[in-house]
Amino acid sequence: MPNWYYDKKDLRNTPSARDGVDYETERRYRREGARFIMEAGASMSLGHNTVATGVVYFHRFYMFHSFRTFPRFVTASCCLFLAGKVEETPKKCKDIIKTARGLLSDEKFQSFGEDPKEEVMTLERILLQTIKFDLQVEHPYSFLVKYAKCLKGDSAKLQKMVQMAWNFVNDSLSTTVSIQWEPEIIAVALIYLASKLSKFTVVDWVGKRPEHLKWWDMFVQDVTMDILEEICHQVLDLYQPSQAESAPQKSPPQLPPSKASPPMKRANISPITNKNSPNIAVKTPLPPMPPTEVEANPIPKHITTENPHYPYPPYPMHPVPPIPPQGHGPPPPYGTMPPVMPPQPPQAWQHYPHPNANKYYPPGPPPGRNPYYPPQ
């Protein structure tokens, strides 16, 4: 199975970054796409697993493609459409497009093109190839509930802490933590964050052993506090408005995927938009071809009298000789036609009467039928 977890250096060297999209802008595009999937899923009454699966597909897709090539809202609709089928909560493509039309502005919906259904269905095949048909995705929700059942303490405070951790898991979908760490580690980190904010200190838990220094040691191993704090900081950064969100938001060209130039053709083009840049190759148009007259049914040149190497005259060819009457012997291509034999006198054996001839073969046709052959 492919490895779907990336380091920080991989997240800063994505196809979008190589295509001229800065890191903060790419993070904003990911947040917008993820939140669109969550809003569309809530509008269509889809479960949390379906929404989370669609968001994970979305983040994985843009580790191989650029936001300039594939519009984020078309990709988000396609991810939700595929996630609904994988999680056995399918929705029709036209219903997803209808929901997207209600959530997006006219300018953003232009990226769906003239035929939105065809755009989504075409992008679905690209999505499947990109994620290598690895459709099953695990989420922190199940691990969150499993770990919370093992904790001991005040039930009211525990319930409040679990609810807060659940909300953190929902918000973490807008970040890239799902493609950086396993769902078990994310669940532990967000329970840790919720326990700190709700002032719920975990003192005892089910299955506690002397070698367990922390409560999560019985579930995951070799998890450092640096990893937990990194996940917590990424989630907490969502609640602090950044400079990218306060600045005027500029989106890449929102062309439908069918009209956007594919990555292979854009590999040698610089992301600099200056027309005078030497990195952009300017193609000079070819001169027009002179008009030529083409016959309706041209005859090959080798069937002409001008070609001395062709021994046959032009059309029409020589008339075919008449076929002689068929006789004995092989056909004309394999030998000469023998002369027709004259009629021979009847032989003696032909007049020998068979004793049972009249019994087996009565003369003449059967009664009540027309004669097939005239009497001899």
Side-chain angles (χ1 to χ4, degrees):
M1 301 301 291
N3 181 22
W4 294 113
Y5 301 107
Y6 303 91
D7 299 331
K8 288 184 178 180
K9 62 179 181 180
D10 299 327
L11 295 175
R12 290 185 175 271
N13 191 28
T14 59
S16 299
R18 295 192 295 268
D19 211 4
V21 180
D22 60 273
Y23 180 68
E24 292 297 330
T25 304
E26 182 178 359
R27 289 180 59 188
R28 178 171 63 85
Y29 291 162
R30 289 182 181 272
R31 286 196 300 270
E32 291 178 357
R35 289 172 181 173
F36 169 78
I37 293 176
M38 290 186 282
E39 292 178 3
S43 301
M44 305 180 70
S45 301
L46 293 174
H48 58 275
N49 283 327
T50 303
V51 173
T53 300
V55 174
V56 173
Y57 290 165
F58 181 82
H59 288 306
R60 292 179 180 180
F61 180 83
Y62 283 109
M63 294 303 297
F64 295 90
H65 301 284
S66 172
F67 279 98
R68 291 186 179 272
T69 305
F70 295 94
R72 55 192 180 279
F73 296 112
V74 181
T75 306
S77 301
C78 180
C79 293
L80 186 61
F81 177 62
L82 179 61
K85 293 188 286 187
V86 172
E87 298 294 339
E88 299 182 358
T89 56
K91 293 294 181 181
K92 294 182 179 179
C93 184
K94 62 178 183 180
D95 295 336
I96 296 179
I97 295 173
K98 182 179 179 181
T99 304
R101 185 67 186 90
L103 295 175
L104 299 175
S105 61
D106 295 339
E107 181 182 0
K108 293 180 180 179
F109 193 76
Q110 289 180 356
S111 60
F112 285 82
E114 298 178 356
D115 191 354
K117 182 179 179 180
E118 182 65 23
E119 296 291 341
V120 174
M121 299 297 290
T122 303
L123 188 57
E124 183 186 17
R125 294 190 288 270
I126 303 176
L127 174 63
L128 286 170
Q129 295 176 358
T130 302
I131 64 177
K132 301 176 179 59
F133 293 87
D134 187 8
L135 303 176
Q136 300 300 325
V137 182
E138 289 186 329
H139 303 293
Y141 297 105
S142 58
F143 300 101
L144 172 63
V145 176
K146 176 183 176 181
Y147 300 162
K149 290 182 179 179
C150 298
L151 303 180
K152 296 181 179 180
D154 189 356
S155 59
K157 292 183 179 181
L158 180 60
Q159 180 66 27
K160 179 181 178 181
M161 186 270 296
V162 172
Q163 183 62 51
M164 186 181 295
W166 187 280
N167 296 336
F168 286 149
V169 172
N170 292 335
D171 295 337
S172 68
L173 297 174
S174 300
T175 67
T176 57
V177 296
S178 60
I179 56 175
Q180 291 181 267
W181 292 282
E182 292 81 358
E184 298 92 337
I185 300 177
I186 298 175
V188 169
L190 297 181
I191 290 177
Y192 169 77
L193 176 61
S195 63
K196 291 293 184 181
L197 296 179
S198 63
K199 299 180 181 180
F200 178 81
T201 305
V202 180
V203 180
D204 194 10
W205 57 90
V206 179
K208 184 178 181 180
R209 295 182 181 179
E211 62 270 17
H212 294 159
L213 302 179
K214 301 291 184 180
W215 62 267
W216 58 79
D217 291 338
M218 62 180 298
F219 302 113
V220 293
Q221 298 178 356
D222 300 331
V223 177
T224 62
M225 291 300 300
D226 295 336
I227 295 177
L228 299 182
E229 291 179 357
E230 175 65 25
I231 297 174
C232 295
H233 283 302
Q234 288 198 33
V235 175
L236 291 176
D237 288 342
L238 294 172
Y239 308 107
Q240 297 178 359
S242 59
Q243 297 179 357
E245 293 182 354
S246 59
Q249 298 179 359
K250 296 181 180 181
S251 299
Q254 294 294 299
L255 294 176
S258 60
K259 296 183 179 180
S261 57
M264 288 74 71
K265 295 183 179 180
R266 307 180 72 252
N268 297 326
I269 300 178
S270 174
I272 302 175
T273 57
N274 186 7
K275 296 183 180 180
N276 299 325
S277 175
N279 295 329
I280 301 178
V282 180
K283 296 183 179 180
T284 58
L286 298 177
M289 299 294 293
T292 57
E293 296 182 0
V294 181
E295 300 179 3
N297 294 314
I299 301 175
K301 292 184 177 181
H302 66 276
I303 311 180
T304 59
T305 55
E306 299 177 357
N307 190 353
H309 300 287
Y310 192 75
Y312 300 102
Y315 297 117
M317 305 297 289
H318 295 288
V320 180
I323 300 177
Q326 184 67 32
H328 299 284
Y334 303 98
T336 59
M337 181 69 67
V340 180
M341 295 181 64
Q344 300 293 330
Q347 301 295 330
W349 58 271
Q350 295 180 353
H351 298 276
Y352 176 74
H354 194 275
N356 298 324
N358 295 332
K359 296 180 182 180
Y360 292 100
Y361 304 97
R369 297 186 181 179
N370 296 328
Y372 294 97
Y373 303 100
Q376 297 181 356

